[in-house]
Amino acid sequence: MSTVLDYRYLAPSALLPDGGTSRLALATSGGATPAGAAAHPYFFSGFVAHPAVVATALLAVARVARTRFYVPPNMLAAVLRAADPVVTSTPEGLRFESFSACCGVYARLDVDPGALDIYHCASGVTNVDVNPPLRQALAGVHGNEQLLLGVGDEKLQVTTAGGSVVEEKVPLPGRWLKGFAETQHACAGMRLRHMLDAAAARQFIQSLPRQSATKAVMWAVPALRSLRLASRPAPGAVCVAGPERLRALEPLLRLATGLRAYGPEIAADALPAASAWVLDLPGGRLTLALSPEKSRGFSGEGGVLRGLAGGTVAEDAELIGTLLSFEPRIDIPRLALASAFTARRVTDALGVLASSGQVGFDLAADAYFHRPLPLAPEVLAGMHPRLADAHALADAGAVQAGGAPGHWRVRSGELHHDVRLGEGGAPDRCTCPWFAQYRDTRGPCKHVLAARIVAQGSGA
Amino acid sequence: MTGQDLTLDQRRDHLRRALKAGGDAARHGEQAHPSRLRQAMKAGSDEAVALLRTALAGATEDERKLLAKTLPPSRWFKEEGPTLRACFAFAALGSPKHVVEAVFPIDSRKALALSSAADTIRQGIVEGLRDRDESCLYAFLDVLAEDGWVMQELCWRIARDLIAARGLRPASPSYLRRFVQVVSGGCEDGGAMQKKPGEAIAQALLADADLLAHEFPQLFRVEGMGGDYFLTDWNADAWDGALLILCERLPDFRGTLLRESLDALLRDFSAKNITWYLRVHRLLDPTPEEIAHLAPRYCAVLSAQPSTSVGLAQDMLLRGAKAGVIGDAEALIDASGAVLLRTEKKLLKAQLAILAALAAHPARRPTIGALVEGVRDALPPDLQGVADKLVAASGTARAAAPVAVAGEPVAVPPPRRVPLPAFTDGATPITDDEMFAALAAAQLEGVGDGADLPRILAWWAAHPSTVVDAALLRRAQEIVNDVWDSDNLSPRRHLAALLLARAGGAPKLEFRGYRRHVYVHPGQADPQGAEVEDRTSTSHSYDPDSGQWRATETHHYRSGYQFVPTHTPAGLLAEQFRAQPVQAPLPHHPRAWERVLGAPGEGTYSRELEILGNGPRAFWRIPGESAPHAPASMAERAFDVSPVQAEYTFRAQEAREQDGYEQIVQWAAWLLRDHPATLAAQFHPTLYTATAVVNVRGVGTLLAALGASRLVPQGPEYSALALGLSAKEAAHRAQAAEAVAALAASGLLDPEPFAAEIGAHLAEGFVMAGRVAQALADAASIHALSGYRVLQILAALLPHLDGVTGAAKLVELAARLSADYGTPIALPDALAGKAKGGSVMAVALRALAAVNAGPTDLARQAGAQARATHDPHDPQAPR
């Protein structure tokens, strides 16, 4: 499955001298607002308190989008036309997001409202153009100049009402989109594990290897002075697969005030897991999320599938989706009240919305934020082929109850697989090769999902 | 009715008429031939083209796709050859890729035949394409640039005609690469690669104002062009010459070139893709006035990622600073902060030099002093002196470093001389078929632990009624059939075969020994035991006249394999699947070891491992011990390290390529759990390989097993750890560091013999000082006692460092740890003479000599932890 992102900008983004001020005019293409879809929304205008931070961080976000951190064997590292960053505007600031071409690294720059002197602000989400001349201009921004940032342009909307002047189609694999969405769900399961001050952060990032083997997975653990990369997991460790990918933060180190590492709970025998690294900057922060392996994107995580396979979580998500309106921090108790769901059901529903590109997760705030990716709705549909396969098995009557409670026998092609559904937090198990290889690290296999669907339907 | 208003049916009608006009000239199904082509070109082409033009006027791309079904243009072109109307129709209706593939074929014979109709092709293609959508034209130009290299000259003319006709502005990397090649004169028609001199390139650009105004500037703006092979390598000198000529002849060219080459460095292109821009800028050698004019851009480049960009900006700014022409010095000082936090010493040094030049102006000194003061401690030790001078010149007093409390260093007890209590086996026995199936399935997928194999095999042997389900059996069959395992050593293939045997479908997997390739010249006798076959090899050469390859020489020989008997751990494990499996690690008994240097045995490396070379290596053997006589027991063969040297190349290769090698090492580590020295000696080839190449399997398992040892380490273990500290992969070095820290934590790490091994490997060139220093620093960061033991290792190592490349890194680490633990180290005589001057080594040695004795927190922690290692019940013992 391939996705074609269709960008249509009214003008190229540019950094323009405007008297004694520089005006960073970011052109917009497509998007969503509380009032509905918009072709070229105008979301924001205002001065930024830390021009060098915003310029350098925006370059870093754009660089992640353009980078293949992993090039599969037999594939040339071609210069790619990458997806443009996505910006979300709310009264609580701006968020610029990008996702690498290899589907393994996610970047987000959050600019706090305190670092913005806002003239105009409207809520919504859109794509913004970051072209080579703009990158060149951003590289020249220095700390003591005045920078007026615009996301969209009201005047341009009027003067070029006839159509767009910059059009580009960017074909991307379906897994890119799926991974972009799945990253948010992965981040929601992470907790703060390590904090470093600026000097220690510099020391740690600069000591990372510049290249590593395809399957290189290391684990950040506390050392006497800073963090070190251990070869084995341990409780409290944060997985760093392909450690050189974290060097994407390097250009920002001179501006950083600290670094925080987030990851899921890790046991001594844990398999590689996703991690997120938040570089604190004056007036904002840059988040970098890394997939569990360099050669493996976020799209294979499947973490949300269990929730989708049974119960009413899909329907819950649909309802919760209608209650959202670009909240910079989604208030779960408020949503629970509005939907008459329990907080747990709201959280599960948000997980589903995250994996379908409707909400993002802010690790620093430990909260979801509403951000429907500016893509055609049909592109977002059908992002869970494994779940579709499981439904097909269930619908075909391929799932039979086993001899004991929680035991199921699933026919898949000519073969049967024995599934044991775990109760009370115990893991599910299946005898298929996929499960033997990945255990529970990439979400359940289709046989477990099918068994859950049938079990849910039968009330077993 | 004009062509613009035609319906699709009317357009089809016109096309059919065009097809009939002049059709007599067509020769269906025949190869294009010059005489026939001429005939075809004469007859009715003009009339047909006029009809086609009418039929297609104003047609959209969608309509053209539909019309192409009425008149398949590729078929027409194939049947009729390059007539005007066939070319026109093909270009007007065909997809860019099909047009280029058919009209400008890669096959040189076809191209030669078509080239006689070059003018007709050019006219037909350009006229046919002229009215198509811009997106189609740009796509055509791209495909033409990518695939039209055999008829490059004609393709280029067509491209330029189209660009001129439609006012196109192509800027794709493919098109620009073709532009560079054409202007460079490379790969011209006829296939001859030739370089144009600079004058010719300059003339080519001057002759076409459009090329100079549009295409040439795009070379600086499109990612990838800065790394173009023609610009940076093949014809680089001629391009240099051409640019200098253009600078002379065009008044503003030099200024534009300076700006463009600098702006290109700011577009965030990769280091590989800026090579030409750096070359161009350096070629122009900017004057001080130009540097002054460009100073803001240079300052911006200081924040660029590639160090080569920063280096260029620094060179120019230093010249500007020395000449006193930098206008906005404050901006340069501000931009310097980005460089001073980098790690490349060359850049740091250059930036300090720029700041020193700027500091000639007293008013700037305070700002410079404050900037440098902030980064001083992060600078490499040998640059801190330069930084201190800048701080001193600013009149700012450096913040005093915290003074260590003087006194006696903390006493840290020595390592244990006796082993720790023996391991207690914690492996859970298999309890039921389900557990067996789960463990077996993990093995089949290659993610199981090789140490599980004994209990898997034991369960299988003890439970003849165990039933494996069909899914697992099918997977087993796939593993047996599909996993590449030329030597039949893969544990999962053997396990799969075992599972299949009970179901009645057992394939035979037999490991016969390492396979040595043998080549027997005609007349020579076959080596004993070799399995060789008659073979023939034929040399060919290409005949350009016929376009065929011809056999020029035939060579008869015999080649095949000789099977080298071995009892390598991999072979012993393979045997376990057929014999009574070993159920417990081999019990410990003391062995004395001897280190020998020797050349590896005969064998052939794959290409990636040729880097290992055939020079001597260190091996470990038991003095006076020879290979056991057959039939030897499993234990005797597992202990025998005498064949390691002879089998070195095979074992090195195995570590890179053998499926299931990780499990093999895991099993061996389990089997030799109480013989870590034997384990280390058996796997020395693996560790040597890991120092030279990446993707060596089993290294982590091996090092972890050595670190977990309960016995006092011997030479082979220290030797293995030393090699691990210098592994090529950072992950392996981290594993070695962890093993060192683990041994320190258990009190078993003895710095003296370990330092002796590191020193020997350094002297023999088997390990690299920089990597060892980095890994030892990592080990030192794990816990306080580990840091102290590393300090002791370095102290013991210092006398062996004279003449070792990169030894300064080790001395720097020693100086830092010495200060951290308040434990001075005496400079050995061999190094004392090197403590003078400004070299990295000298600065590090002086720093080491300046350490004062005194108690520190780290040393106290280390002392407590070391005491705890002598009392395993002490809660302070590192875990």
Side-chain angles (χ1 to χ4, degrees), chain A residues 100 128 132 149 173 216 298 317 410:
Chain A
S100 69
V128 289
L149 170 64
F298 279 97
V410 182

Side-chain angles (χ1 to χ4, degrees), chain B residues 595-809:
Chain B
R595 187 182 198 270
V596 290
L597 276 181
E602 187 189 344
T604 313
Y605 290 129
S606 64
R607 204 165 159 189
E608 317 86 73
L609 288 189
E610 281 172 1
I611 191 173
L612 291 175
N614 292 316
R617 298 277 183 275
F619 296 99
W620 291 87
R621 65 183 184 198
I622 308 294
E625 195 171 274
S626 57
H629 297 292
S633 70
M634 162 78 180
E636 283 175 316
R637 288 177 293 152
F639 290 145
D640 180 26
V641 292
S642 60
V644 174
Q645 182 178 348
E647 294 171 5
Y648 176 88
T649 51
F650 297 113
R651 294 190 184 209
Q653 199 74 51
E654 189 179 70
R656 273 285 294 244
E657 293 177 353
Q658 178 57 52
D659 179 72
Y661 192 75
E662 187 75 42
Q663 281 74 25
I664 292 169
V665 179
Q666 286 164 344
W667 175 79
W670 167 85
L671 183 74
L672 297 171
R673 191 181 63 182
D674 298 315
H675 287 272
T678 308
L679 179 73
Q682 289 280 17
F683 285 95
H684 254 54
T686 302
L687 291 162
Y688 272 118
T689 310
T691 62
V693 294
V694 298
N695 293 327
V696 180
R697 303 167 192 183
V699 175
T701 299
L702 187 60
L703 292 168
L706 299 181
S709 171
R710 315 288 286 176
L711 301 160
V712 176
Q714 295 177 276
E717 288 128 293
Y718 287 129
S719 172
L721 289 171
L723 292 171
L725 291 174
S726 186
K728 184 159 187 174
E729 263 187 61
H732 291 160
R733 293 199 295 275
Q735 283 154 348
E738 286 158 15
V740 170
L743 284 174
S746 57
L748 295 170
L749 184 76
D750 191 341
E752 292 281 345
F754 191 16
E757 270 313 311
I758 297 174
H761 280 312
L762 281 170
E764 289 152 357
F766 299 143
V767 300
M768 295 162 74
R771 285 185 192 168
V772 171
Q774 183 258 328
L776 283 177
D778 188 22
S781 76
I782 294 175
H783 56 80
L785 179 55
S786 175
Y788 188 81
R789 294 289 183 234
V790 169
L791 174 62
Q792 290 180 304
I793 291 165
L794 292 168
L797 191 58
L798 282 180
H800 307 286
L801 292 184
D802 189 21
V804 172
T805 308
K809 294 271 179 202

Side-chain angles (χ1 to χ4, degrees), chain B residues 224-497:
Chain B
M225 296 316 298
D228 183 82
Y229 171 69
F230 275 72
L231 295 172
T232 59
D233 192 333
W234 171 256
N235 218 11
D237 292 340
W239 273 89
D240 288 352
L243 295 183
L244 293 175
I245 292 167
L246 291 170
C247 286
E248 278 173 21
R249 297 187 191 169
L250 300 172
D252 298 330
F253 192 76
R254 180 182 166 86
T256 308
L257 208 50
L258 280 170
R259 280 194 305 278
E260 288 284 2
S261 57
L262 213 45
D263 286 349
L265 303 181
L266 293 168
R267 293 197 176 104
D268 205 24
F269 296 158
S270 68
K272 188 182 72 177
N273 286 328
I274 58 168
T275 313
W276 190 56
Y277 312 136
L278 299 168
R279 183 182 178 107
V280 168
H281 204 84
R282 289 194 187 278
L283 171 78
L284 297 180
D285 194 18
T287 62
E289 292 71 30
E290 286 168 332
I291 290 172
H293 182 64
L294 294 167
R297 279 183 165 85
Y298 290 128
C299 286
V301 174
L302 289 181
S303 300
Q305 273 292 91
S307 56
T308 45
S309 296
V310 179
L312 172 96
Q314 286 179 323
D315 288 350
M316 302 303 154
L317 287 166
L318 183 59
R319 280 159 58 182
K322 283 182 175 170
V325 297
I326 303 293
D328 189 356
E330 293 304 315
L332 174 52
I333 295 167
D334 185 43
S336 299
V339 184
L340 291 178
L341 288 173
R342 296 183 68 125
T343 49
E344 302 95 326
K345 193 186 273 187
K346 195 175 170 188
L347 299 185
L348 295 171
K349 203 170 176 179
Q351 203 60 35
L352 290 172
I354 291 171
L355 291 173
L358 292 177
H361 199 297
R364 296 172 188 151
R365 289 176 191 162
T367 324
I368 293 171
L371 173 71
V372 174
E373 167 76 18
V375 299
R376 187 260 180 204
D377 290 342
L379 293 171
D382 55 319
L383 293 184
Q384 288 177 354
V386 183
D388 289 343
K389 282 181 191 165
L390 286 170
V391 175
S394 71
T396 318
R398 272 209 67 220
V403 180
V405 179
E408 282 298 307
V410 174
V412 178
R416 294 170 65 96
R417 306 288 177 206
V418 290
L420 289 164
F423 282 105
T424 52
D425 200 338
T428 319
I430 295 174
T431 51
D432 54 28
D433 283 358
E434 193 181 343
M435 186 176 173
F436 168 80
L439 286 169
Q443 293 289 336
L444 292 186
E445 297 310 320
V447 295
D449 187 335
D452 287 337
L453 284 169
R455 54 183 179 144
I456 289 173
L457 294 176
W459 173 270
W460 186 248
H463 296 80
S465 61
T466 291
V467 178
V468 177
D469 76 8
L472 195 59
L473 280 179
R474 181 160 137 172
R475 185 69 186 133
Q477 192 66 60
E478 287 170 357
I479 299 293
V480 168
N481 294 342
D482 300 342
V483 170
W484 187 72
D485 176 30
S486 56
D487 284 337
N488 288 331
L489 277 172
S490 164
R492 60 175 171 158
R493 281 188 80 227
H494 281 282
L495 178 62

